[in-house]
Amino acid sequence: MIEETLLEAEEKMEKAVLVAKEDFASIRTGRPGPATFNRIAAEYYGTMTPINQLASFQVPEPRMVVISPFDKGSVQAIEKAIRNSDLGVNPANDGNIIRVVFPDLSEERRKEYVKVVRTKAEDGKVSIRNVRRHAKDTFDKAVKAGEVGEDDGRRAQDELEELTQKYVASIDELLKHKEAELLEV
């Protein structure tokens, strides 16, 4: 029972780190890429659909992304979704493709991105701590019910604490790298 709970907690903590990593990838640094558009969805036949499922992306220049929709009827919806997103860009559409030119990141914009990254990192840490709290409650209930001895419960909580520290440290490491990437000119 203890092992199952620890394994489940570890899986959930790994997922929290993966979500944080994906969130960090969607925040652009110097050169934009397809991952910049991962979180943007356009209305396509009445359904909100991620634009990376509606189009292909090319990066012909360091600050430009060319988006080629698979269905030419979705050009307007994709353009609108990009314009309304938090990217701060104005896409240009010629009826077949969409060109998105990204401005150079100003120092102010870089600092805003650092704040966003820190918020996302904190969200990841909070979800890891919630997993820890849930597993700890499970251990406490098992000890109270007499299913597990107090020593085993304490050992399990110590293992859980080590797991928590390990995954929080990995999010901190990801945060440190992303901040360095954002602040390098």
Side-chain angles (χ1 to χ4, degrees):
M1 187 227 143
I2 288 177
E3 291 301 316
E4 292 171 14
T5 306
L6 283 172
L7 274 172
E8 183 182 330
E10 186 170 12
E11 285 175 12
K12 289 180 179 177
M13 288 179 186
E14 281 180 22
K15 285 180 185 171
V17 171
L18 282 174
V19 167
K21 194 180 278 191
E22 288 172 7
D23 285 347
F24 290 174
S26 70
I27 296 172
R28 83 178 185 98
T29 51
R31 183 182 174 118
T36 309
F37 299 94
N38 281 351
R39 299 263 183 242
I40 301 174
E43 189 169 333
Y44 185 64
Y45 290 109
T47 307
M48 293 307 284
T49 309
I51 64 172
N52 58 3
Q53 293 178 9
L54 298 173
S56 64
F57 299 85
Q58 289 125 9
V59 186
E61 298 174 23
R63 294 185 312 123
M64 179 191 286
V65 176
V66 175
I67 303 169
S68 304
F70 303 130
D71 175 10
K72 301 303 176 204
S74 64
V75 172
Q76 298 291 336
I78 293 172
E79 181 183 16
K80 181 180 175 188
I82 293 169
R83 185 171 287 120
N84 294 339
S85 72
D86 63 349
L87 292 178
V89 294
N90 194 15
N93 144 22
D94 70 0
N96 292 323
I97 61 171
I98 301 169
R99 285 184 183 79
V100 182
V101 178
F102 288 85
D104 279 334
L105 286 177
S106 65
E107 190 64 30
E108 183 180 315
R109 189 77 170 142
R110 288 176 189 271
K111 288 180 181 174
E112 285 176 30
Y113 280 146
V114 167
K115 287 178 187 173
V116 170
V117 168
R118 286 182 180 158
T119 302
K120 290 184 185 295
E122 193 54 43
D123 291 346
K125 290 181 196 177
V126 166
S127 65
I128 288 173
R129 291 185 196 116
N130 286 338
V131 170
R132 175 186 63 190
R133 181 174 38 82
H134 179 72
K136 186 177 178 314
D137 290 346
T138 304
F139 294 146
D140 290 343
K141 287 176 186 170
V143 168
K144 274 188 181 172
E147 298 171 16
V148 178
E150 283 187 32
D151 289 344
D152 290 338
R154 199 166 295 117
R155 258 187 244 107
Q157 287 184 13
D158 290 344
E159 274 186 60
L160 182 65
E161 194 57 41
E162 285 176 26
L163 279 176
T164 304
Q165 290 173 357
K166 172 184 158 189
Y167 286 104
V168 166
S170 65
I171 285 184
D172 284 337
E173 191 65 27
L174 289 170
L175 172 65
K176 189 174 90 176
H177 288 299
K178 191 64 176 185
E179 280 182 342
E181 199 177 305
L182 279 168
L183 293 174
E184 96 184 12
V185 179

